[in-house]
Amino acid sequence: MSNNLAHALIGELERESVSTQRLLERVPVDQADWRPHPRSTALGSLAWHIANIPRRISGLIAAGSFDILKARPGAPPDHHDYVAELKASVEEAKRTIGTLDDSAMMAKSFRFLRGEETIRELPVIGAVRSIMLNHVYHHRGQLTVYLRLLEIPVPAMYGTTADENPFA
């Protein structure tokens, strides 16, 4: 059984969670209800969603499908320990991904459902890449905008920001 793909995905998840943690550490818990626009997600809900994505998606991947009709957004709890949630979430995702072998990730399908109808199907590796990893990156980008609008320094993730230069 070869797990090269799983090891690569776990490595990426671990590396990227460092940047995600640095971002979540800056979320002001006293402004959890703040939103930049009435149709925007509240700051605390966005932070919780980012922290919880690896856990939620690894559960979906283990189940093999996601029914959009049964989707319920995970409401953040009363506490706002986004970093602790991220750490636990990443550990759970690593356990799930670690059980997958290369051939199963390429051959086995993950299905998006609308009730009984399959609306999209992709290899498990595509699901991990798309709905776990890329999903986090997308929402991290949103969160950096929220922080900027709140005048909170944005951490460097892939290079410098207007607030940080890791190369200086």
Side-chain angles (χ1 to χ4, degrees), residues 22-32 34 43 82 143-156 161-164:
R22 292 185 67 230
L23 194 59
L24 292 173
E25 288 169 346
R26 298 188 185 198
V27 174
V29 296
D30 62 334
Q31 296 189 52
W34 182 86
L43 175 63
Y82 309 119
L143 187 54
T144 62
V145 172
Y146 280 37
L147 295 180
R148 175 68 69 225
L149 292 172
L150 288 169
E151 298 291 331
I152 296 167
V154 175
T161 68
D163 305 305
E164 282 187 6

Side-chain angles (χ1 to χ4, degrees), residues 101-119:
D101 66 65
D102 290 358
S103 60
M105 276 199 276
M106 298 301 286
K108 188 177 174 186
S109 290
F110 179 84
R111 298 181 311 139
F112 290 92
L113 307 170
R114 183 182 301 118
E116 297 298 315
E117 174 192 6
T118 298
I119 55 175

Side-chain angles (χ1 to χ4, degrees), residues 12 15-17 19-20 22 129 133-134 136-138 140-141 144 154-161 164 166-167:
E12 182 175 345
R15 284 186 305 279
E16 291 294 332
S17 69
S19 292
T20 304
R22 292 185 67 230
R129 162 70 46 215
L133 298 172
N134 293 352
V136 169
Y137 309 149
H138 161 75
R140 264 188 353 200
T144 62
V154 175
M157 287 183 270
Y158 297 116
T160 63
T161 68
E164 282 187 6
F167 308 112

